[in-house]
């Protein structure tokens, strides 16, 4: 029975990675699947998420081409308001975007078409140094926009899988969310996007690897995702079924600490 189960899992994984290069195939682990209806992770407001000079947000995502909504929050701390707009990484009408601003009249973002990236795991990184917003896909800079709008703070939770106060619920998989309090360089992003972090990296303020659960099992006893840094910015799991193949912990597509052994050069 064990051999049959292993073979089934192997065939499923192989099917999911057909067409991806060796560097894009990832080792087994767990990610979170969001249903696009009401699932999200809410990390309580903390001074750690109030940036003074810049930020970087990274995440691996798998967005299905069959997604039904056009606005999907990935990792955001934002409010559509006259002050304290905040920042985030999201998906808007076929494009991924990083943005920052003071209010709904004073904000900026840079985006890039997601065509060609659906139905597979993709690494996203958005950075802002107070002068330029930059967006990276799979380690490559794809878009940038000069912006002097600066940084603002608010009391909203840092939210994975939506905007905090709006129904922009993510549909698909999210894994390895990392938040830094400075704008990382292209070489820094590329150097460790395939690696587990220790949580002790300089200027890393939150890190979620979503390894708390078991693939497609009954994970209803899990109430929070764990921040692997010493800041303890743990996130509350909200409205997720935590049982079955959706709205739950699932097999990840993330290549951690080297290539998958399914890949041969």
């Amino acid at each position: 029975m064990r051999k049959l189960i292993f073979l089934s899992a192997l065939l499923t994984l192989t099917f999911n990675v057909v067409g991806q290069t060796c560097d894009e195939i990832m080792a087994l682990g767990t990610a979170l699947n969001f249903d696009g209806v009401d699932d999200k992770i809410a990390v309580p407001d903390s001074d750690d998420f109030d940036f003074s000079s810049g930020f970087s947000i990274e995440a691996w995502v798998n967005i299905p081409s069959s997604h039904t909504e056009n606005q999907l929050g990935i990792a955001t701390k934002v409010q559509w308001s006259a002050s304290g707009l905040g920042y985030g990484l999201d998906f808007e009408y076929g494009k991924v975007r990083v943005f920052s601003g003071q209010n709904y009249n004073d904000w900026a973002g840079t985006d890039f078409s997601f065509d060609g990236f659906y139905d597979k795991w993709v690494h996203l990184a958005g950075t802002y140094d107070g002068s330029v917003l930059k967006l990276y896909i799979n380690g490559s800079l794809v878009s940038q926009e000069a912006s002097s709008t600066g940084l603002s703070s608010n009391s909203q939770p840092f939210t994975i899988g939506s905007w905090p106060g709006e129904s922009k619920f993510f549909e698909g998989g999210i894994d390895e969310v990392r938040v830094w309090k400075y704008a990382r360089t292209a070489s820094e992003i590329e150097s460790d996007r395939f690696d587990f972090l220790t949580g002790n990296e300089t200027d890393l303020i939150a890190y979620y690897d979503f390894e708390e659960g078991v693939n497609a099992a009954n994970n209803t006893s899990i109430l929070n995702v764990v921040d692997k840094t010493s800041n303890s910015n743990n996130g509350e799991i909200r409205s997720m079924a935590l049982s079955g193949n959706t709205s739950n912990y699932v097999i990840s597509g993330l290549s951690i600490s080297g290539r998958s052994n399914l890949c041969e050069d």
Side-chain angles (χ1 to χ4, degrees):
M1 178 62 72
R2 288 183 180 178
K3 289 182 179 180
L4 289 174
I5 292 173
F6 174 78
L7 179 59
S8 175
L10 181 60
L11 289 172
T12 299
L13 180 62
T14 303
F15 174 79
N16 287 339
V17 299
V18 166
Q20 291 179 251
T21 66
C22 288
D23 285 340
E24 292 172 323
I25 297 174
M26 309 194 188
L28 293 174
T30 52
L32 276 176
N33 174 271
F34 295 77
D35 65 6
V37 177
D38 55 6
D39 294 351
K40 65 180 178 180
I41 305 298
V43 180
D45 179 41
S46 164
D47 290 345
D48 291 328
F49 294 99
D50 296 338
F51 304 123
S52 59
S53 58
F55 68 83
S56 301
I57 302 173
E58 299 181 64
W60 284 88
V61 302
N62 189 332
I63 302 175
S65 56
S66 60
H67 69 91
T68 57
E69 300 297 328
N70 290 316
Q71 297 175 298
L72 313 176
I74 297 171
T76 68
K77 195 176 190 299
V78 59
Q79 57 184 10
W80 197 243
S81 168
S83 63
L85 183 136
Y87 55 86
L89 182 67
D90 66 1
F91 174 98
E92 288 267 323
Y93 296 96
K95 297 180 179 181
V96 287
R97 174 181 68 174
V98 60
F99 64 90
S100 179
Q102 300 296 323
N103 55 64
Y104 45 59
N105 291 317
D106 183 16
W107 68 280
T110 189
D111 57 26
F112 192 80
S113 172
F114 207 65
D115 288 348
F117 296 107
Y118 292 106
D119 302 312
K120 60 184 176 182
W121 285 96
V122 177
H123 182 264
L124 303 177
T127 72
Y128 183 47
D129 62 3
S131 298
V132 182
L133 288 148
K134 295 182 178 182
L135 181 66
Y136 299 82
I137 297 181
N138 288 337
S140 297
L141 177 65
V142 295
S143 181
Q144 60 182 334
E145 180 75 23
S147 172
S148 60
T149 187
L151 297 149
S152 66
S153 59
N154 56 52
S155 60
Q156 295 291 334
F158 179 77
T159 304
I160 301 170
S162 184
W163 275 31
E166 298 188 36
S167 298
K168 297 185 178 183
F169 294 107
F170 186 88
E171 183 178 356
I174 300 179
D175 204 358
E176 286 287 314
V177 175
R178 306 165 179 191
V179 187
W180 310 77
K181 63 179 182 179
Y182 77 104
R184 303 192 84 202
T185 65
S187 60
E188 288 174 324
I189 292 167
E190 175 61 25
S191 68
D192 58 18
R193 66 188 178 98
F194 287 115
D195 298 328
F196 276 129
L197 302 182
T198 64
N200 297 322
E201 288 78 5
T202 301
D203 293 329
L204 178 68
I205 62 101
Y207 172 40
Y208 309 95
D209 63 7
F210 303 136
E211 295 296 320
E212 301 87 8
V214 177
N215 171 48
N218 185 334
N219 293 298
T220 54
S221 63
I222 301 174
L223 303 179
N224 298 281
V225 298
V226 177
D227 172 19
K228 295 304 178 71
T229 76
S230 60
N231 295 321
S232 299
N233 288 309
N234 299 331
E236 179 188 355
I237 299 173
R238 294 187 179 177
S239 303
M240 301 191 80
L242 295 179
S243 181
N245 294 316
T246 60
S247 189
N248 194 12
Y249 289 89
V250 297
I251 288 178
S252 176
L254 180 57
S255 173
I256 290 297
S257 297
R259 298 180 178 181
S260 166
N261 58 14
L262 296 177
C263 180
E264 296 181 0
D265 290 326

